[in-house]
Amino acid sequence: RWNLVTGVQTCALPIYFSLKSEKEISIIAKNSDGDLSEAVKVGIYPQNPYLEEGAFDSDISPLYVGYTDSKGEINEKITVPSNLKKLYILPLTNGYGSFYEVSVTDYISVQMQGATFEYAPGTRTIVDVTSSPISNIYQTYSIYANSEVNNDGIPLVGTNLVSKETLSPTFINKVNSWYPEASNIQTADLSMNSDLIVTAENGAEVWMTFIGDGGFNVNNANVYNSLFYYNYKSGDIKSRSDAQDLRMTLLLPNTNERQCPSGIKVQLLYWDKTNGTYSTVFPKDTYIGFAVARSGYNKNNKTVNEKDSYAFRNLDYPKTGNQPQGFYFSTPTLNITNKTQSVNRVVDDFNCVVCGFDIRRSDDPKSDFDFNDVIFKVTSSPVLVVKPEEEIPIIDEVHTLEAIYGTLAFEDQWPNKGDYDFNDAVINYAYEIGKNTNNEITKIKLKFTPIAKGAAAYTRIGFGIELPINSNDVDNVTGATLESGNNLATIIVWGENNLFLGNQGAFVNTEKGVPYKSFDPVYVEVTIKNPVKNISMFKFNPFIFVNGRSKEIHLVDHQPTPKMDLTLFGTVNDRSDIANNIYYRMDNRYPWALDFPRATDNTPVWSYPKEMSIISSAYLKYNRWIENQSDLSWFDSTISGNVDQEELY
């Protein structure tokens, strides 16, 4: 420790001045059969990312995104804000459960597994169907005997029409990239009819395999949607009222992913309305449409063929706002909006069509347009002879990036203490990392937004960041400059000849009563030549350099780059000990740079002190944190008793 009187070091310092820490995490993923699964995508979030109805909050990004290895495991260290109490671990591959809320500890372990299959004691050799509808409103029929569906409304595997299919995480991840949470496709032409049409001369057999329910598996655990299908010929559907005359056949009474296992497979039956019979072959030119009854199943322990097991709404529904219950159709004409509620796309690599439903009206302000509220695939024999009549194209595949956000605050007078108001250079940042399925990092995206400059008019401040990867592993940098002559990749965002925040005079956004000036962010993307593993955002090393490239100021105990003038260490107030990797500390243990975590990219900037206001006067619990790290939320100005508002900008 440093003796605060003599300034003599007695042992290594325990205080790291970091408001972030690394935690070890172990995750095991098992599929519905209990087998360990490779390439399951997992996200770890600092907040519950779900809004009402299971929609994602697009502002909340995961702290970590990774894929299970060949043993079905993830074993990593993740960077988390030190004041974080809970983490939310989500399988981003359907079929592995919903989310897992865990307390933040030094070691976190989670095993994830989705709903499991239930099996019928025997099989039926003939197809039998109920003779009466399961609704008084529509022609809705069940193809199941009561004994073939469990109390949760899930068909039992082993009956005549129901089997199971093992869906590879690779396939599901591809599907999810086409129907990503919180990313809408409002620009698509939803008036197109993407119902499936049979193209084979001799017709085709058709199956549906359930992938997942992205709409209601978290915040609405007790909502149970029902999936139906119908077949028709060209010209049969002319108006919305024709829904009353369609025979809608039940596929899944309950699509809630907590009960319905991903991979349950049901054969569709062709309804011949002329003969009044079902058969297994759909003739050429037959159209197949699908419908989801939102909140259609009651799950009240009644049998699947009782009308009381369902709560279907009439053609006046669904409504916008708080009454979204009702039928949502893939056929545009059957919806109030004349827009499809299902986007259907061919996946050639897997010989199938994927159908994704959105179960809010397209004119509902609450609709998120992600079309993954109920998602399933359709296969046929012969293969790929059942396709969308009009396929709505994919605009972009979307892949989740892990991210952390924060505010950097620097004192520019190092090795002098300076005025210690931590507003000489204030910068908001976002760090994002993209990975492949081998958990190898392929790109790094950085965003820096200048906020304030409390330095003197003559002070030139540049800004850069050293990344924990070799310079030779960098393929390309856009938006900034990859500096030469460094072993580690060093990115210069604002050069040494630039005045920080431009030619703005002495103080920018640090004096009370002076109008605030906003500045555009700088976006930097680093692509990796040879994908690398084990990059920790905890080791990202941002710094400013003042009045020349050789005077760098870093976070505590972060090493300078090779451009640094090492003779400055140990002068004036600096008590760095290079031999022991101790950098940028004062004899009173105060740092020259701090990194304040923000929950999201839209979280306001850390409220920094006004000009010439020492940080301990503005933040009343700062000294306590310095002494014993007992209050890790001391920097939160929204907490009563933390700040003197008069001392803040």
Side-chain angles (χ1 to χ4, degrees):
R1 303 177 189 272
W2 295 107
N3 184 300
L4 302 188
V5 177
T6 65
V8 175
Q9 182 185 358
T10 59
C11 66
L13 287 169
I15 306 299
Y16 294 96
F17 297 100
S18 179
L19 294 167
K20 295 182 291 190
S21 60
E22 283 194 316
K23 308 297 182 184
E24 292 187 40
I25 188 142
S26 176
I27 297 171
I28 296 175
K30 295 182 178 181
N31 64 17
S32 296
D33 284 326
D35 299 324
L36 296 170
S37 296
E38 182 179 5
V40 175
K41 190 175 183 180
V42 178
I44 302 176
Y45 291 79
Q47 302 176 45
N48 183 354
Y50 285 102
L51 301 168
E52 60 177 325
E53 302 174 9
F56 256 53
D57 185 341
S58 58
D59 287 342
I60 300 175
S61 298
L63 297 170
Y64 170 87
V65 176
Y67 300 82
T68 56
D69 60 19
S70 59
K71 299 178 181 178
E73 297 180 359
I74 290 174
N75 294 286
E76 294 281 359
K77 289 183 178 180
I78 63 170
T79 301
V80 302
S82 295
N83 62 341
L84 202 63
K85 304 298 184 184
K86 298 285 186 181
L87 288 173
Y88 298 84
I89 302 174
L90 277 68
L92 300 177
T93 301
N94 294 97
Y96 293 87
S98 55
F99 77 82
Y100 302 80
E101 180 182 325
V102 299
S103 298
V104 177
T105 58
D106 289 338
Y107 180 80
I108 300 166
S109 179
V110 169
Q111 179 172 301
M112 50 181 55
Q113 182 176 1
T116 57
F117 296 101
E118 288 192 35
Y119 295 85
T123 61
R124 280 191 299 166
T125 58
I126 61 171
V127 173
D128 191 14
V129 296
T130 57
S131 58
S132 59
I134 55 175
S135 169
N136 292 325
I137 301 174
Y138 300 98
Q139 293 188 47
T140 49
Y141 287 82
S142 167
I143 53 174
Y144 304 107
N146 286 328
S147 61
E148 295 174 335
V149 177
N150 70 13
N151 289 336
D152 290 324
I154 309 303
L156 304 178
V157 174
T159 58
N160 193 61
L161 300 174
V162 183
S163 58
K164 70 173 185 177
E165 178 181 357
T166 300
L167 298 174
S168 74
T170 301
F171 165 71
I172 299 175
N173 291 338
K174 183 179 184 70
V175 171
N176 289 344
S177 74
W178 287 7
Y179 300 85
E181 281 287 355
S183 296
N184 66 63
I185 51 174
Q186 296 182 47
T187 57
D189 183 2
L190 299 179
S191 65
M192 296 170 65
N193 184 6
S194 62
D195 283 352
L196 309 184
I197 185 169
V198 180
T199 62
E201 194 66 35
N202 296 319
E205 292 187 279
V206 184
W207 293 265
M208 180 284 310
T209 304
F210 178 67
I211 296 174
D213 181 336
F216 297 94
N217 66 343
V218 177
N219 285 7
N220 285 269
N222 298 320
V223 174
Y224 312 104
N225 306 310
S226 301
L227 177 64
F228 292 81
Y229 71 96
Y230 48 91
N231 57 263
Y232 63 97
K233 295 291 186 181
S234 178
D236 285 352
I237 298 177
K238 299 182 179 66
S239 68
R240 176 164 166 75
S241 62
D242 289 328
Q244 300 282 13
D245 300 322
L246 283 175
R247 186 182 182 100
M248 290 191 287
T249 305
L250 184 65
L251 270 174
L252 295 173
N254 174 16
T255 67
N256 189 305
E257 199 171 309
R258 292 190 174 189
Q259 291 89 36
C260 191
S262 183
I264 194 167
K265 184 175 183 178
V266 182
Q267 183 168 12
L268 278 62
L269 298 176
Y270 169 72
W271 172 250
D272 187 334
K273 65 180 181 180
T274 302
N275 298 324
T277 59
Y278 280 109
S279 61
T280 58
V281 176
F282 288 75
K284 183 183 179 183
D285 297 329
T286 299
Y287 287 86
I288 304 173
F290 296 91
V292 173
R294 178 171 173 150
S295 303
Y297 187 62
N298 282 333
K299 195 175 175 295
N300 54 11
N301 293 322
K302 294 183 180 293
T303 60
V304 70
N305 292 319
E306 293 183 66
K307 293 179 181 179
D308 287 348
S309 294
Y310 304 92
F312 301 138
R313 299 297 183 94
N314 61 34
L315 283 176
D316 291 335
Y317 294 85
K319 300 180 183 295
T320 59
N322 295 325
Q323 293 181 300
Q325 297 86 356
F327 273 93
Y328 293 81
F329 296 92
S330 60
T331 310
T333 306
L334 297 178
N335 295 309
I336 296 173
T337 58
N338 284 314
K339 302 288 181 66
T340 184
Q341 293 290 151
S342 177
V343 171
N344 305 330
R345 292 162 170 161
V346 177
V347 191
D348 290 305
D349 294 348
F350 292 90
N351 293 323
C352 68
V353 175
V354 172
C355 306
F357 264 86
D358 200 77
I359 48 177
R360 268 195 180 272
R361 283 169 42 170
S362 57
D363 60 346
D364 191 329
K366 291 186 176 182
S367 178
D368 58 9
F369 290 91
D370 56 16
F371 288 88
N372 66 13
D373 294 342
V374 177
I375 195 162
F376 53 92
K377 80 169 192 173
V378 175
T379 50
S380 64
S381 178
V383 298
L384 284 182
V385 296
V386 178
K387 296 183 177 182
E389 183 182 40
E390 298 177 288
E391 187 175 359
I392 296 176
I394 302 156
I395 300 172
D396 288 303
E397 289 193 15
V398 176
H399 299 277
T400 307
L401 302 178
E402 65 187 50
I404 61 173
Y405 308 99
T407 300
L408 298 166
F410 293 90
E411 274 295 310
D412 70 340
Q413 293 297 307
W414 180 89
N416 291 286
K417 179 179 179 180
D419 57 12
Y420 221 66
D421 53 16
F422 276 96
N423 64 23
D424 296 336
V426 182
I427 304 163
N428 271 1
Y429 70 81
Y431 303 154
E432 295 183 333
I433 286 180
K435 297 176 180 176
N436 60 24
T437 55
N438 294 321
N439 290 324
E440 295 172 327
I441 294 168
T442 58
K443 65 180 174 182
I444 299 172
K445 299 175 73 174
L446 309 169
K447 175 185 173 184
F448 299 105
T449 306
I451 301 297
K453 172 183 176 287
Y458 56 81
T459 303
R460 301 197 315 268
I461 298 178
F463 175 74
I465 184 168
E466 182 187 70
L467 302 175
I469 56 174
N470 195 292
S471 292
N472 294 330
D473 289 325
V474 174
D475 182 41
N476 188 46
V477 175
T478 59
T481 302
L482 177 64
E483 189 175 59
S484 61
N486 301 304
N487 290 330
L488 296 179
T490 305
I491 311 298
I492 302 301
V493 182
W494 290 286
E496 62 179 294
N497 294 323
N498 294 337
L499 287 170
F500 183 66
L501 297 184
N503 189 15
Q504 298 290 334
F507 304 126
V508 181
N509 298 334
T510 64
E511 296 176 294
K512 279 185 176 291
V514 179
Y516 182 84
K517 297 178 181 179
S518 61
F519 297 88
D520 293 332
V522 173
Y523 296 91
V524 181
E525 182 162 327
V526 181
T527 53
I528 310 300
K529 187 186 309 178
N530 302 306
V532 295
K533 289 189 175 183
N534 300 322
I535 292 181
S536 169
M537 286 189 279
F538 192 71
K539 296 180 180 178
F540 281 25
N541 186 4
F543 61 95
I544 61 172
F545 45 101
V546 181
N547 294 330
R549 183 62 188 84
S550 62
K551 183 182 176 183
E552 300 176 358
I553 303 173
H554 292 249
L555 297 167
V556 167
D557 294 341
H558 283 61
Q559 292 188 11
T561 76
K563 309 295 184 184
M564 176 65 182
D565 180 0
L566 299 182
T567 64
L568 294 172
F569 286 116
T571 63
V572 197
N573 298 119
D574 181 74
R575 295 297 182 267
S576 297
D577 182 354
I578 296 176
N580 289 299
N581 291 319
I582 294 172
Y583 296 95
Y584 299 101
R585 292 178 182 268
M586 295 186 201
D587 52 7
N588 62 359
R589 302 189 299 172
Y590 280 34
W592 278 272
L594 289 170
D595 180 356
F596 299 95
R598 292 182 298 130
T600 74
D601 199 20
N602 293 325
T603 300
V605 65
W606 172 64
S607 296
Y608 49 88
K610 68 182 181 181
E611 193 60 44
M612 301 297 292
S613 176
I614 189 169
I615 191 172
S616 55
S617 296
Y619 282 88
L620 306 179
K621 299 178 182 178
Y622 175 81
N623 284 332
R624 186 187 305 174
W625 171 68
I626 287 293
E627 291 166 3
N628 57 25
Q629 305 277 284
S630 62
D631 188 343
L632 296 174
S633 296
W634 64 267
F635 60 91
D636 187 344
S637 62
T638 67
I639 296 177
S640 177
N642 270 7
V643 299
D644 180 346
Q645 292 288 347
E646 289 302 313
E647 298 298 315
L648 297 180
Y649 169 70

